[in-house]
Amino acid sequence: MSNEIVNKPQNKLGFSSYMTNSSITAKVNQIIGDEKKGARFISGIISAVTTNPMLKECDNASILSGALLGESLNLSPSPQLGNFYLVPFNDKNKGKVATFQLGWKGYYQLALRSGYYKKLNVVEIKEGELVSWNPLEEELKVNIIEDDKKRESLPTIGYYAYYEYLNGFKKAMYWSKEKMESHALQYSMGYKAKKGYTFWEK
């Protein structure tokens, strides 16, 4: 990724034209090591940029560098999968650039691959399911609605995450929807902008 072709600003071209430029395509194939995988990577990242209009304003090379970082972790650039995101930021020296940000599903994938976890789960808690949450003991009591269709139609009121290592260590956390939104407003520039393209708004 340190090669001049990748890092040199080339925003005179639209991103799709930039990525299909023969020199960039060749460099991507060289880094990834396979033409078919390279073509799939290029198609995926073009799709991700098309989905997020703000990325079109970013330096092309910064988008490619962020996407290659995700590729090095064997994570998909598709925003629908939520493995990682390319988040637009204003850099006073470079202008608008795309910054790699690992999504929760990306963390999940990497955790599973580590081989350290016995159990790992994240679930939405729907209206009417929560009985109690004891943060001191990290104990959640819920009455899960068994009818999947009915459950999906109900509003989400919170989120529960749980993991257990193979050595027996356990950790659990519950956040209300309001607490999650407050966190998003503090740390997600995309969510603050309310453009409709962030995972927080899904």
mmCIF file of all heavy atoms in Angstrom, residues 77-109:
data_model
loop_
_atom_site.group_PDB
_atom_site.id
_atom_site.type_symbol
_atom_site.label_atom_id
_atom_site.label_comp_id
_atom_site.label_asym_id
_atom_site.label_seq_id
_atom_site.Cartn_x
_atom_site.Cartn_y
_atom_site.Cartn_z
ATOM 1 N N PRO A 77 -15.659 -5.406 1.955
ATOM 2 C CA PRO A 77 -15.930 -3.967 1.965
ATOM 3 C C PRO A 77 -17.409 -3.640 1.834
ATOM 4 O O PRO A 77 -17.791 -2.470 1.932
ATOM 5 C CB PRO A 77 -15.161 -3.471 0.725
ATOM 6 C CG PRO A 77 -15.205 -4.630 -0.219
ATOM 7 C CD PRO A 77 -15.104 -5.852 0.661
ATOM 8 N N SER A 78 -18.255 -4.645 1.616
ATOM 9 C CA SER A 78 -19.687 -4.396 1.432
ATOM 10 C C SER A 78 -20.295 -3.785 2.690
ATOM 11 O O SER A 78 -20.248 -4.390 3.770
ATOM 12 C CB SER A 78 -20.416 -5.700 1.110
ATOM 13 O OG SER A 78 -21.817 -5.508 1.145
ATOM 14 N N PRO A 79 -20.894 -2.586 2.601
ATOM 15 C CA PRO A 79 -21.509 -1.971 3.774
ATOM 16 C C PRO A 79 -22.688 -2.780 4.308
ATOM 17 O O PRO A 79 -23.032 -2.686 5.491
ATOM 18 C CB PRO A 79 -21.960 -0.593 3.264
ATOM 19 C CG PRO A 79 -22.034 -0.726 1.777
ATOM 20 C CD PRO A 79 -21.004 -1.741 1.397
ATOM 21 N N GLN A 80 -23.315 -3.589 3.439
ATOM 22 C CA GLN A 80 -24.427 -4.422 3.870
ATOM 23 C C GLN A 80 -23.982 -5.487 4.871
ATOM 24 O O GLN A 80 -24.737 -5.878 5.751
ATOM 25 C CB GLN A 80 -25.098 -5.099 2.660
ATOM 26 C CG GLN A 80 -25.930 -4.184 1.786
ATOM 27 C CD GLN A 80 -25.092 -3.290 0.884
ATOM 28 O OE1 GLN A 80 -23.945 -3.635 0.577
ATOM 29 N NE2 GLN A 80 -25.636 -2.165 0.476
ATOM 30 N N LEU A 81 -22.740 -5.956 4.735
ATOM 31 C CA LEU A 81 -22.221 -6.976 5.647
ATOM 32 C C LEU A 81 -21.736 -6.371 6.958
ATOM 33 O O LEU A 81 -21.667 -7.055 7.978
ATOM 34 C CB LEU A 81 -21.091 -7.757 4.979
ATOM 35 C CG LEU A 81 -21.504 -8.622 3.785
ATOM 36 C CD1 LEU A 81 -20.289 -9.325 3.194
ATOM 37 C CD2 LEU A 81 -22.561 -9.650 4.185
ATOM 38 N N GLY A 82 -21.378 -5.102 6.946
ATOM 39 C CA GLY A 82 -20.998 -4.413 8.182
ATOM 40 C C GLY A 82 -19.688 -4.848 8.787
ATOM 41 O O GLY A 82 -19.473 -4.693 9.990
ATOM 42 N N ASN A 83 -18.779 -5.424 7.977
ATOM 43 C CA ASN A 83 -17.481 -5.836 8.519
ATOM 44 C C ASN A 83 -16.601 -4.642 8.857
ATOM 45 O O ASN A 83 -15.936 -4.616 9.887
ATOM 46 C CB ASN A 83 -16.753 -6.741 7.529
ATOM 47 C CG ASN A 83 -17.354 -8.127 7.456
ATOM 48 O OD1 ASN A 83 -18.046 -8.559 8.373
ATOM 49 N ND2 ASN A 83 -17.106 -8.827 6.376
ATOM 50 N N PHE A 84 -16.568 -3.677 7.949
ATOM 51 C CA PHE A 84 -15.863 -2.429 8.223
ATOM 52 C C PHE A 84 -16.469 -1.321 7.379
ATOM 53 O O PHE A 84 -17.207 -1.571 6.427
ATOM 54 C CB PHE A 84 -14.354 -2.553 7.964
ATOM 55 C CG PHE A 84 -13.962 -2.657 6.510
ATOM 56 C CD1 PHE A 84 -13.707 -1.523 5.748
ATOM 57 C CD2 PHE A 84 -13.811 -3.900 5.899
ATOM 58 C CE1 PHE A 84 -13.337 -1.620 4.410
ATOM 59 C CE2 PHE A 84 -13.436 -4.010 4.567
ATOM 60 C CZ PHE A 84 -13.195 -2.860 3.825
ATOM 61 N N TYR A 85 -16.159 -0.099 7.768
ATOM 62 C CA TYR A 85 -16.691 1.070 7.067
ATOM 63 C C TYR A 85 -15.554 2.012 6.702
ATOM 64 O O TYR A 85 -14.523 2.041 7.378
ATOM 65 C CB TYR A 85 -17.707 1.809 7.947
ATOM 66 C CG TYR A 85 -18.866 0.942 8.366
ATOM 67 C CD1 TYR A 85 -18.836 0.251 9.586
ATOM 68 C CD2 TYR A 85 -19.979 0.787 7.548
ATOM 69 C CE1 TYR A 85 -19.896 -0.559 9.971
ATOM 70 C CE2 TYR A 85 -21.052 -0.017 7.932
ATOM 71 C CZ TYR A 85 -20.998 -0.686 9.146
ATOM 72 O OH TYR A 85 -22.040 -1.495 9.521
ATOM 73 N N LEU A 86 -15.759 2.759 5.648
ATOM 74 C CA LEU A 86 -14.843 3.825 5.270
ATOM 75 C C LEU A 86 -15.549 5.129 5.609
ATOM 76 O O LEU A 86 -16.554 5.484 4.988
ATOM 77 C CB LEU A 86 -14.505 3.729 3.783
ATOM 78 C CG LEU A 86 -13.756 2.452 3.401
ATOM 79 C CD1 LEU A 86 -13.635 2.342 1.884
ATOM 80 C CD2 LEU A 86 -12.372 2.411 4.055
ATOM 81 N N VAL A 87 -15.037 5.812 6.618
ATOM 82 C CA VAL A 87 -15.725 6.979 7.179
ATOM 83 C C VAL A 87 -15.057 8.266 6.707
ATOM 84 O O VAL A 87 -13.846 8.440 6.891
ATOM 85 C CB VAL A 87 -15.708 6.914 8.726
ATOM 86 C CG1 VAL A 87 -16.485 8.090 9.308
ATOM 87 C CG2 VAL A 87 -16.295 5.591 9.204
ATOM 88 N N PRO A 88 -15.815 9.181 6.107
ATOM 89 C CA PRO A 88 -15.241 10.451 5.642
ATOM 90 C C PRO A 88 -14.860 11.368 6.811
ATOM 91 O O PRO A 88 -15.638 11.548 7.738
ATOM 92 C CB PRO A 88 -16.379 11.081 4.821
ATOM 93 C CG PRO A 88 -17.332 9.964 4.542
ATOM 94 C CD PRO A 88 -17.223 9.040 5.712
ATOM 95 N N PHE A 89 -13.651 11.909 6.756
ATOM 96 C CA PHE A 89 -13.193 12.887 7.735
ATOM 97 C C PHE A 89 -12.507 14.036 7.011
ATOM 98 O O PHE A 89 -11.928 13.854 5.938
ATOM 99 C CB PHE A 89 -12.200 12.257 8.727
ATOM 100 C CG PHE A 89 -12.853 11.476 9.830
ATOM 101 C CD1 PHE A 89 -12.939 10.096 9.749
ATOM 102 C CD2 PHE A 89 -13.372 12.112 10.940
ATOM 103 C CE1 PHE A 89 -13.547 9.360 10.759
ATOM 104 C CE2 PHE A 89 -13.975 11.389 11.961
ATOM 105 C CZ PHE A 89 -14.061 10.012 11.873
ATOM 106 N N ASN A 90 -12.569 15.206 7.621
ATOM 107 C CA ASN A 90 -11.875 16.358 7.057
ATOM 108 C C ASN A 90 -10.465 16.441 7.630
ATOM 109 O O ASN A 90 -10.292 16.502 8.842
ATOM 110 C CB ASN A 90 -12.634 17.652 7.366
ATOM 111 C CG ASN A 90 -13.920 17.760 6.574
ATOM 112 O OD1 ASN A 90 -13.942 17.485 5.382
ATOM 113 N ND2 ASN A 90 -14.999 18.162 7.232
ATOM 114 N N ASP A 91 -9.482 16.416 6.755
ATOM 115 C CA ASP A 91 -8.078 16.562 7.128
ATOM 116 C C ASP A 91 -7.613 17.935 6.666
ATOM 117 O O ASP A 91 -7.728 18.255 5.482
ATOM 118 C CB ASP A 91 -7.248 15.458 6.470
ATOM 119 C CG ASP A 91 -5.793 15.464 6.911
ATOM 120 O OD1 ASP A 91 -5.103 16.463 6.624
ATOM 121 O OD2 ASP A 91 -5.353 14.472 7.519
ATOM 122 N N LYS A 92 -7.113 18.742 7.584
ATOM 123 C CA LYS A 92 -6.758 20.120 7.237
ATOM 124 C C LYS A 92 -5.633 20.195 6.203
ATOM 125 O O LYS A 92 -5.482 21.212 5.517
ATOM 126 C CB LYS A 92 -6.372 20.905 8.487
ATOM 127 C CG LYS A 92 -5.171 20.382 9.251
ATOM 128 C CD LYS A 92 -4.932 21.224 10.493
ATOM 129 C CE LYS A 92 -3.745 20.722 11.302
ATOM 130 N NZ LYS A 92 -3.515 21.528 12.519
ATOM 131 N N ASN A 93 -4.867 19.131 6.081
ATOM 132 C CA ASN A 93 -3.783 19.119 5.095
ATOM 133 C C ASN A 93 -4.181 18.452 3.776
ATOM 134 O O ASN A 93 -3.763 18.872 2.704
ATOM 135 C CB ASN A 93 -2.554 18.404 5.672
ATOM 136 C CG ASN A 93 -1.979 19.128 6.875
ATOM 137 O OD1 ASN A 93 -1.898 20.353 6.887
ATOM 138 N ND2 ASN A 93 -1.606 18.375 7.899
ATOM 139 N N LYS A 94 -5.004 17.395 3.862
ATOM 140 C CA LYS A 94 -5.328 16.617 2.668
ATOM 141 C C LYS A 94 -6.740 16.849 2.145
ATOM 142 O O LYS A 94 -7.102 16.355 1.083
ATOM 143 C CB LYS A 94 -5.151 15.126 2.968
ATOM 144 C CG LYS A 94 -3.736 14.735 3.362
ATOM 145 C CD LYS A 94 -3.660 13.244 3.643
ATOM 146 C CE LYS A 94 -2.261 12.825 4.065
ATOM 147 N NZ LYS A 94 -2.192 11.369 4.382
ATOM 148 N N GLY A 95 -7.573 17.581 2.900
ATOM 149 C CA GLY A 95 -8.968 17.720 2.509
ATOM 150 C C GLY A 95 -9.776 16.576 3.079
ATOM 151 O O GLY A 95 -9.458 16.038 4.140
ATOM 152 N N LYS A 96 -10.810 16.167 2.381
ATOM 153 C CA LYS A 96 -11.658 15.084 2.878
ATOM 154 C C LYS A 96 -11.024 13.731 2.531
ATOM 155 O O LYS A 96 -10.705 13.454 1.375
ATOM 156 C CB LYS A 96 -13.053 15.188 2.270
ATOM 157 C CG LYS A 96 -14.054 14.196 2.857
ATOM 158 C CD LYS A 96 -15.496 14.597 2.567
ATOM 159 C CE LYS A 96 -15.908 15.783 3.419
ATOM 160 N NZ LYS A 96 -17.362 16.073 3.267
ATOM 161 N N VAL A 97 -10.854 12.903 3.561
ATOM 162 C CA VAL A 97 -10.244 11.586 3.381
ATOM 163 C C VAL A 97 -11.137 10.511 3.997
ATOM 164 O O VAL A 97 -11.940 10.777 4.887
ATOM 165 C CB VAL A 97 -8.837 11.512 4.020
ATOM 166 C CG1 VAL A 97 -7.888 12.487 3.352
ATOM 167 C CG2 VAL A 97 -8.907 11.779 5.524
ATOM 168 N N ALA A 98 -10.977 9.292 3.508
ATOM 169 C CA ALA A 98 -11.713 8.152 4.043
ATOM 170 C C ALA A 98 -10.840 7.427 5.069
ATOM 171 O O ALA A 98 -9.671 7.157 4.814
ATOM 172 C CB ALA A 98 -12.100 7.198 2.921
ATOM 173 N N THR A 99 -11.421 7.136 6.230
ATOM 174 C CA THR A 99 -10.698 6.468 7.305
ATOM 175 C C THR A 99 -11.315 5.103 7.589
ATOM 176 O O THR A 99 -12.534 4.981 7.694
ATOM 177 C CB THR A 99 -10.735 7.320 8.594
ATOM 178 O OG1 THR A 99 -10.196 8.608 8.312
ATOM 179 C CG2 THR A 99 -9.939 6.665 9.701
ATOM 180 N N PHE A 100 -10.485 4.095 7.691
ATOM 181 C CA PHE A 100 -10.935 2.729 7.993
ATOM 182 C C PHE A 100 -11.519 2.662 9.396
ATOM 183 O O PHE A 100 -10.925 3.160 10.353
ATOM 184 C CB PHE A 100 -9.750 1.770 7.884
ATOM 185 C CG PHE A 100 -10.061 0.362 8.313
ATOM 186 C CD1 PHE A 100 -10.533 -0.562 7.388
ATOM 187 C CD2 PHE A 100 -9.862 -0.046 9.623
ATOM 188 C CE1 PHE A 100 -10.808 -1.871 7.771
ATOM 189 C CE2 PHE A 100 -10.135 -1.347 10.015
ATOM 190 C CZ PHE A 100 -10.618 -2.262 9.087
ATOM 191 N N GLN A 101 -12.709 2.059 9.518
ATOM 192 C CA GLN A 101 -13.321 1.857 10.834
ATOM 193 C C GLN A 101 -13.929 0.464 10.885
ATOM 194 O O GLN A 101 -14.810 0.131 10.101
ATOM 195 C CB GLN A 101 -14.400 2.915 11.096
ATOM 196 C CG GLN A 101 -14.998 2.836 12.500
ATOM 197 C CD GLN A 101 -15.861 4.044 12.819
ATOM 198 O OE1 GLN A 101 -15.428 5.180 12.676
ATOM 199 N NE2 GLN A 101 -17.069 3.805 13.229
ATOM 200 N N LEU A 102 -13.452 -0.336 11.815
ATOM 201 C CA LEU A 102 -13.925 -1.710 11.951
ATOM 202 C C LEU A 102 -15.349 -1.712 12.496
ATOM 203 O O LEU A 102 -15.661 -1.028 13.465
ATOM 204 C CB LEU A 102 -12.992 -2.474 12.897
ATOM 205 C CG LEU A 102 -13.056 -3.999 12.904
ATOM 206 C CD1 LEU A 102 -12.742 -4.572 11.535
ATOM 207 C CD2 LEU A 102 -12.078 -4.546 13.942
ATOM 208 N N GLY A 103 -16.240 -2.466 11.843
ATOM 209 C CA GLY A 103 -17.617 -2.600 12.310
ATOM 210 C C GLY A 103 -17.736 -3.726 13.324
ATOM 211 O O GLY A 103 -16.838 -4.565 13.451
ATOM 212 N N TRP A 104 -18.879 -3.781 14.010
ATOM 213 C CA TRP A 104 -19.012 -4.801 15.060
ATOM 214 C C TRP A 104 -18.987 -6.214 14.475
ATOM 215 O O TRP A 104 -18.488 -7.150 15.095
ATOM 216 C CB TRP A 104 -20.262 -4.564 15.902
ATOM 217 C CG TRP A 104 -21.581 -4.967 15.296
ATOM 218 C CD1 TRP A 104 -22.462 -4.158 14.625
ATOM 219 C CD2 TRP A 104 -22.187 -6.270 15.330
ATOM 220 N NE1 TRP A 104 -23.565 -4.861 14.228
ATOM 221 C CE2 TRP A 104 -23.434 -6.180 14.648
ATOM 222 C CE3 TRP A 104 -21.820 -7.503 15.840
ATOM 223 C CZ2 TRP A 104 -24.296 -7.248 14.486
ATOM 224 C CZ3 TRP A 104 -22.679 -8.580 15.681
ATOM 225 C CH2 TRP A 104 -23.899 -8.447 15.013
ATOM 226 N N LYS A 105 -19.503 -6.351 13.251
ATOM 227 C CA LYS A 105 -19.460 -7.679 12.629
ATOM 228 C C LYS A 105 -18.033 -8.061 12.249
ATOM 229 O O LYS A 105 -17.698 -9.237 12.193
ATOM 230 C CB LYS A 105 -20.393 -7.718 11.422
ATOM 231 C CG LYS A 105 -21.871 -7.653 11.816
ATOM 232 C CD LYS A 105 -22.778 -7.785 10.617
ATOM 233 C CE LYS A 105 -24.238 -7.732 11.041
ATOM 234 N NZ LYS A 105 -25.165 -7.845 9.879
ATOM 235 N N GLY A 106 -17.202 -7.041 11.977
ATOM 236 C CA GLY A 106 -15.793 -7.296 11.728
ATOM 237 C C GLY A 106 -15.096 -7.773 12.991
ATOM 238 O O GLY A 106 -14.306 -8.727 12.958
ATOM 239 N N TYR A 107 -15.385 -7.093 14.111
ATOM 240 C CA TYR A 107 -14.849 -7.538 15.398
ATOM 241 C C TYR A 107 -15.292 -8.977 15.678
ATOM 242 O O TYR A 107 -14.502 -9.806 16.166
ATOM 243 C CB TYR A 107 -15.352 -6.634 16.528
ATOM 244 C CG TYR A 107 -14.596 -5.347 16.695
ATOM 245 C CD1 TYR A 107 -15.166 -4.121 16.343
ATOM 246 C CD2 TYR A 107 -13.307 -5.338 17.217
ATOM 247 C CE1 TYR A 107 -14.471 -2.934 16.509
ATOM 248 C CE2 TYR A 107 -12.602 -4.156 17.394
ATOM 249 C CZ TYR A 107 -13.194 -2.956 17.035
ATOM 250 O OH TYR A 107 -12.500 -1.789 17.196
ATOM 251 N N TYR A 108 -16.540 -9.258 15.379
ATOM 252 C CA TYR A 108 -17.095 -10.599 15.610
ATOM 253 C C TYR A 108 -16.329 -11.650 14.806
ATOM 254 O O TYR A 108 -15.937 -12.696 15.339
ATOM 255 C CB TYR A 108 -18.570 -10.597 15.230
ATOM 256 C CG TYR A 108 -19.312 -11.888 15.496
ATOM 257 C CD1 TYR A 108 -19.820 -12.160 16.764
ATOM 258 C CD2 TYR A 108 -19.515 -12.818 14.489
ATOM 259 C CE1 TYR A 108 -20.510 -13.340 17.021
ATOM 260 C CE2 TYR A 108 -20.197 -14.000 14.729
ATOM 261 C CZ TYR A 108 -20.700 -14.250 15.997
ATOM 262 O OH TYR A 108 -21.368 -15.422 16.240
ATOM 263 N N GLN A 109 -16.100 -11.359 13.521
ATOM 264 C CA GLN A 109 -15.371 -12.291 12.665
ATOM 265 C C GLN A 109 -13.952 -12.529 13.169
ATOM 266 O O GLN A 109 -13.478 -13.669 13.229
ATOM 267 C CB GLN A 109 -15.323 -11.754 11.229
ATOM 268 C CG GLN A 109 -16.633 -11.838 10.480
ATOM 269 C CD GLN A 109 -17.067 -13.276 10.227
ATOM 270 O OE1 GLN A 109 -16.244 -14.146 9.955
ATOM 271 N NE2 GLN A 109 -18.359 -13.519 10.336
#
